Amino acid sequence: MSTPGASTGAADQAGASTGAADQWPLWEVFVRAGRGLSHVHVGSLHAPDAELAVRNARDLYTRRGEGVSIWVVPADAVTTSDPDAKGAFFESPAGKNYRHAVYYTKSEGVKHL
Amino acid sequence: MTAPAELRRASEPAEPTADELAGQAAFDELIAADSRIEPRDWMPEAYRKTLIRQISQHAHSEIIGMQPESNWISRAPSLKRKAILMAKVQDEAGHGLYLYSAAQTLGIGREEMMRQLIEGRARYSSIFNYPTPTWADMGAIGWLVDGAAICNQVPLCRASYGPYGRAMVRICKEESFHQRQGFEILLELMQGTEAQRRMAQDAVNRWYWPSLMMFGPPDDESPNSAQSMAWNIKRFSNDELRQRFVGMLVPQAEVLGVTLPDPELAWNEERQAYDMSEIDWTEFHEVLAGRGPANAERLRRRREAHEAGAWVREAAAEYARKQADRAAELAGAVA
Amino acid sequence: MTRPTPDAHGEVSVDRLALAEELAGTGSASGPGEGARIAPPETAEYALRLGDDALVLAQRLGDWITRAPELEEDVALGNIALDLIGHARSLLHYAGSATGRSEDELAYWRDEPEWRNAWLFEQPNGDFACTIARQLLASCYWFELNTALSASTDPILAAVGAKAVKEVDYHRDHAAQWTLRLAGGTEESRRRMIQGVADVWPYLDELFEDDELVTRLAADGVAVLPSSLRAGTEAAIAQVFAEAELEPPAGRTAFTASGGGRRGKHTEHLGPLLAELQVLARQHPGASW
């Protein structure tokens, strides 16, 4: 198991499991910038628990009104795809251009298609 | 939880394995295409180490850099300035946190970085070892120090390591007000009383050279620069950035009405660059070696805050453990 | 095939900001403009009390920046202090309109006996537990006050209260969260939390003292009668205490006999605080910054 982009390895090293008594675990922070938008990963922070994590996230990542909603997730709760298996995971879509609208050139110029 | 593959590789014998060769090839291809390296990609150990060093130094600089300015929060001469300064120092804490997060993706914990800092084993920008005896220093730091930092940082937004670049984008956006507020402090002083003007010029005199030193040693004496540029971590050389910075300062100094303390400073039409006096690098090396005026003071303050806060961090961690235990008990009782 | 690699980080540009009104209720960030409301003298005195409370506590909290127990907390306490400076500026700006003085003239050029803050706010930070205890009392009180103030018949006070109540709601939550953690954390943190509460508790009563001025203003619906805030404030504190398994300390100090902050009598802690706050401004009379 490993963490996503922004925190790989960090959770293994800085997480609560290995830390000193005063060390807080790492949390990944996702902020929704406005209604109708997805929560987007903005970074991470340290907090002793979920309640303080979401408050720290508010103070750290929305000081300039950047968000209307926040998610926090323990960094070590995120499972990520294995970069070494990049080929096996992400090769398949290549060669399937017919999944994209632009593949269909003959209908170009026809309205409402 | 398995150790990241990259770390396991580091301890193996020097002979490159097939995996390593493939990893290096993929890495080289990404760099050549000016794409981004992400945390779980294979990367050369030296690249990882360089980044950890650079990002953690940068984070430490933000954190230590809070101190010379926080020195004036309580005495800021107007409530508006007090609020601005407080927001700025607070931003610096935030920037330190963004950067520590980025460094953590490389496999180093924040606790470890903090320990390196308070034990004096890590570097931070030596500029923050200069004291801030007057209010005008708040202006000079914003205008010159933040100005130099922004010159350095804007290209870092395109650094090849994804988390670092992303942290820098955030930081650069937020810092756009830092330099301006500094400039305006100086402008206000220069348009004020005789005593205020003297205060402003004196601060510019003290911060000008250290701010130029922030770009690092001249290109021919900068051992790590070439490799960092090849890796697309660094995009411009130290001297290029320094020239660019001085080029921006000269017209701004005219607007302010301050004199930049370099009698040799002049535009050289032939070279299409500014001529300037030799920088006193002995001072730079002294300060870098920890013999700056406020070096011990800065580290002491950070260490005291960290140590004095240990019982609070422990309490919160202990409370979280108790809450988790209680939740588990409840779940167990239900089952 | 080479894929085009767009710059993943996008362009760096200055955010376009729709700046919120800098001083709530003043209708202008740049001083009394046309049509700016002038505070009636007694209302000005009331605004001064509330403004001094906020400013003095902001000054105290500012000292935590670079000294908090964790970097995240530097940021959190900084946010709270910034909110309070905002409240103070709005209130002092309004208070000063009665006598043609600016927020800065009031903040930097009044001597200690002219300050109207209650004693709670000028008490030293102590350790983190003491600061949290002070925050809990202050923010529970302010939540009640600003809730009521937002219904004031004075439009400026109502506007300030309406903005402040949302901010102090968060401050109250911050203090409550930390009270729970310190009281329920380690033995040491519990001991310190109990001590912190004991240190600030004697200053709670002063917040609920009525006097002639505030009674007159309250009758007109301008001010909030301090005594009317006691029940709500104490209930909010009691709720946090119950969850944290803390007892309210026995015995309180009544300050009416000795004067109290509303009449310009202060504990020995305000003098040094003001000396620091005002030192630079007073070295340069008439200067602008």
Side-chain angles (χ1 to χ4, degrees):
Chain A
M1 185 176 77
S2 185
T3 50
S7 63
T8 304
D12 304 47
Q13 305 243 338
S17 53
T18 55
D22 66 337
Q23 206 170 317
W24 295 346
L26 191 69
W27 301 76
E28 298 299 336
V29 181
F30 301 78
V31 171
R32 183 203 291 284
R35 303 196 75 80
L37 299 172
S38 301
H39 286 79
V40 173
H41 185 247
V42 293
S44 54
L45 51 75
H46 290 259
D49 53 45
E51 278 112 350
L52 284 193
V54 77
R55 286 164 178 82
N56 288 350
R58 174 259 195 198
D59 285 327
L60 188 57
Y61 288 105
T62 65
R63 294 198 300 286
R64 288 171 171 78
E66 296 95 330
V68 297
S69 167
I70 297 172
W71 287 347
V72 292
V73 179
D76 62 7
V78 180
T79 308
T80 187
S81 59
D82 181 352
D84 294 340
K86 215 165 12 198
F89 259 73
F90 303 117
E91 185 56 30
S92 176
K96 297 188 178 65
N97 291 347
Y98 48 80
R99 284 186 186 275
H100 299 274
V102 290
Y103 176 79
Y104 303 91
T105 53
K106 289 191 178 143
S107 45
E108 216 155 90
V110 180
K111 285 184 176 172
H112 308 302
L113 264 177
Chain B
M1 198 176 284
T2 57
E6 305 85 294
L7 294 185
R8 282 202 308 277
R9 278 195 203 97
S11 56
E12 283 166 14
E15 189 65 31
T17 62
D19 273 3
E20 262 180 329
L21 290 173
Q24 181 75 51
F27 176 85
D28 290 345
E29 201 179 308
L30 286 171
I31 294 289
D34 201 6
S35 185
R36 300 290 178 267
I37 307 299
E38 293 296 342
R40 298 199 71 224
D41 290 332
W42 187 92
M43 60 187 86
E45 213 29 53
Y47 176 83
R48 176 188 303 277
K49 279 195 181 131
T50 299
L51 279 168
I52 289 181
R53 194 192 62 225
Q54 182 171 337
I55 301 173
S56 64
Q57 266 186 34
H58 197 159
H60 296 331
S61 301
E62 296 282 357
I63 299 306
I64 295 293
M66 295 165 71
Q67 290 183 28
E69 290 173 290
S70 74
N71 179 28
W72 282 93
I73 289 177
S74 63
R75 295 175 291 166
S78 77
L79 296 184
K80 186 177 86 176
R81 292 284 170 215
K82 188 188 285 288
I84 293 171
L85 186 60
M86 205 182 266
K88 177 174 190 275
V89 175
Q90 188 205 30
D91 268 352
E92 284 156 8
H95 297 169
L97 289 173
Y98 303 156
L99 288 161
Y100 283 128
S101 293
Q104 283 186 270
T105 65
L106 292 157
I108 183 168
R110 188 162 107 200
E111 183 64 15
E112 169 60 17
M113 289 184 272
M114 192 53 70
R115 203 175 309 131
Q116 289 174 355
L117 175 63
I118 63 182
E119 288 172 4
R121 290 185 285 127
R123 283 189 174 161
Y124 54 86
S125 183
S126 50
I127 194 96
F128 301 117
N129 289 331
Y130 290 92
T132 50
T134 76
W135 170 252
D137 292 324
M138 299 304 99
I141 287 182
W143 181 45
L144 296 171
V145 177
D146 292 323
I150 290 168
C151 270
N152 265 327
Q153 288 170 357
V154 168
L156 288 175
C157 295
R158 294 191 295 126
S160 60
Y161 187 58
Y164 191 26
R166 290 191 287 274
M168 291 315 305
V169 169
R170 217 181 165 81
I171 290 171
C172 286
K173 281 186 176 176
E174 297 191 354
E175 284 209 341
S176 52
F177 99 81
H178 293 187
Q179 191 182 16
R180 281 191 180 199
Q181 65 86 35
F183 184 86
E184 288 187 9
I185 287 176
L186 291 177
L187 192 62
E188 195 83 47
L189 292 175
M190 289 305 290
Q191 292 169 352
T193 64
E194 178 57 31
Q196 285 179 305
R197 279 197 295 279
R198 268 203 312 274
M199 192 194 285
Q201 181 63 55
D202 164 68
V204 170
N205 291 349
R206 282 182 291 110
W207 290 96
Y208 176 74
W209 287 109
S211 74
L212 293 192
M213 294 181 206
M214 284 175 71
F215 295 96
D219 294 343
D220 48 9
E221 294 166 31
S222 179
N224 300 321
S225 284
Q227 180 62 74
S228 284
M229 288 183 69
W231 277 334
N232 296 343
I233 297 175
K234 205 172 156 76
R235 299 279 177 167
F236 299 98
S237 79
N238 295 352
D239 287 333
E240 279 171 336
L241 288 170
R242 197 166 9 241
Q243 272 289 337
R244 182 185 293 193
F245 180 56
V246 171
M248 293 190 303
L249 287 188
V250 169
Q252 291 171 356
E254 278 171 29
V255 175
L256 285 176
V258 296
T259 309
L260 296 175
D262 180 2
E264 309 283 316
L265 184 64
W267 177 249
N268 184 323
E269 191 58 39
E270 203 174 309
R271 288 199 309 125
Q272 286 294 301
Y274 281 93
D275 290 333
M276 43 184 119
S277 313
E278 197 74 30
I279 293 179
D280 180 8
W281 291 105
T282 15
E283 177 185 309
F284 177 77
H285 291 299
E286 281 296 299
V287 177
L288 201 65
R291 291 186 284 268
N295 187 289
E297 166 67 22
R298 302 279 183 253
L299 284 186
R300 188 176 55 76
R301 163 92 75 92
R302 180 89 289 277
R303 187 170 52 244
E304 280 174 2
H306 191 72
E307 287 170 0
W311 70 268
V312 178
R313 297 191 300 274
E314 266 170 46
E318 179 61 22
Y319 178 83
R321 268 191 293 274
K322 285 181 188 168
Q323 292 293 102
D325 289 351
R326 205 167 300 170
E329 260 172 49
L330 280 175
V334 170
Chain C
M1 185 186 84
T2 53
R3 217 163 23 87
T5 51
D7 190 337
H9 306 308
E11 287 292 300
V12 177
S13 61
V14 179
D15 283 349
R16 246 182 56 80
L17 292 175
L19 286 175
E21 197 179 278
E22 195 173 326
L23 302 184
T26 59
S28 151
S30 53
E34 282 181 330
R37 191 180 150 82
I38 305 287
E42 293 207 324
T43 308
E45 174 71 12
Y46 179 64
L48 196 63
R49 294 178 180 186
L50 306 188
D52 284 354
D53 286 350
L55 180 54
V56 166
L57 189 57
Q59 179 79 358
R60 283 285 184 232
L61 290 179
D63 278 346
W64 275 106
I65 299 176
T66 70
R67 294 184 179 86
E70 185 53 287
L71 296 172
E72 279 84 353
E73 203 51 34
D74 274 304
V75 181
L77 290 169
N79 273 345
I80 294 173
L82 280 171
D83 288 343
L84 296 179
I85 291 185
H87 306 166
R89 289 183 63 197
S90 295
L91 289 161
L92 293 186
H93 179 88
Y94 187 41
S97 68
T99 46
R101 285 181 291 177
S102 69
E103 60 183 71
D104 286 334
E105 283 172 278
L106 288 176
Y108 292 92
W109 296 93
R110 277 180 303 148
D111 291 332
E112 189 180 326
E114 298 166 86
W115 282 70
R116 293 290 177 262
N117 61 285
W119 291 6
L120 174 69
F121 306 102
E122 67 197 41
Q123 295 313 302
N125 284 339
D127 64 6
F128 187 68
C130 181
T131 289
I132 290 299
R134 193 183 57 198
Q135 281 306 108
L136 182 68
L137 269 48
S139 56
C140 285
Y141 160 73
W142 268 327
F143 182 79
E144 298 300 318
L145 170 71
N146 286 302
T147 302
L149 196 64
S150 56
S152 167
T153 53
D154 183 293
I156 306 285
L157 292 180
V160 173
K163 172 159 174 60
V165 72
K166 293 183 213 139
E167 294 175 342
V168 298
D169 192 15
Y170 188 82
H171 305 174
R172 195 170 65 147
D173 174 71
H174 173 268
Q177 293 294 335
W178 272 112
T179 302
L180 291 179
R181 279 158 187 76
L182 297 181
T186 61
E187 259 177 54
E188 179 182 12
S189 70
R190 182 166 180 81
R191 179 178 58 72
R192 287 178 184 258
M193 191 68 227
I194 290 169
Q195 185 60 51
V197 169
D199 288 344
V200 296
W201 197 256
Y203 305 103
L204 184 62
D205 270 351
E206 187 189 7
L207 302 176
F208 310 125
E209 273 180 32
D210 299 338
D211 63 7
E212 282 177 26
L213 175 113
V214 81
T215 306
R216 270 197 305 277
L217 287 172
D220 294 340
V222 171
V224 179
L225 202 60
S227 57
S228 72
L229 300 170
R230 181 188 288 275
T233 305
E234 291 187 344
I237 295 171
Q239 200 186 331
V240 178
F241 276 13
E243 203 179 332
E245 297 174 14
L246 292 172
E247 294 290 329
R252 292 176 183 177
T253 317
F255 290 105
T256 27
S258 59
R262 305 300 186 207
R263 281 169 293 281
K265 305 270 194 252
H266 291 280
T267 64
E268 60 190 18
H269 303 296
L270 184 65
L273 180 146
L274 293 181
E276 199 172 349
L277 175 83
Q278 297 173 335
V279 59
L280 175 60
R282 289 191 174 203
Q283 281 165 2
H284 300 268
S288 112
W289 303 92

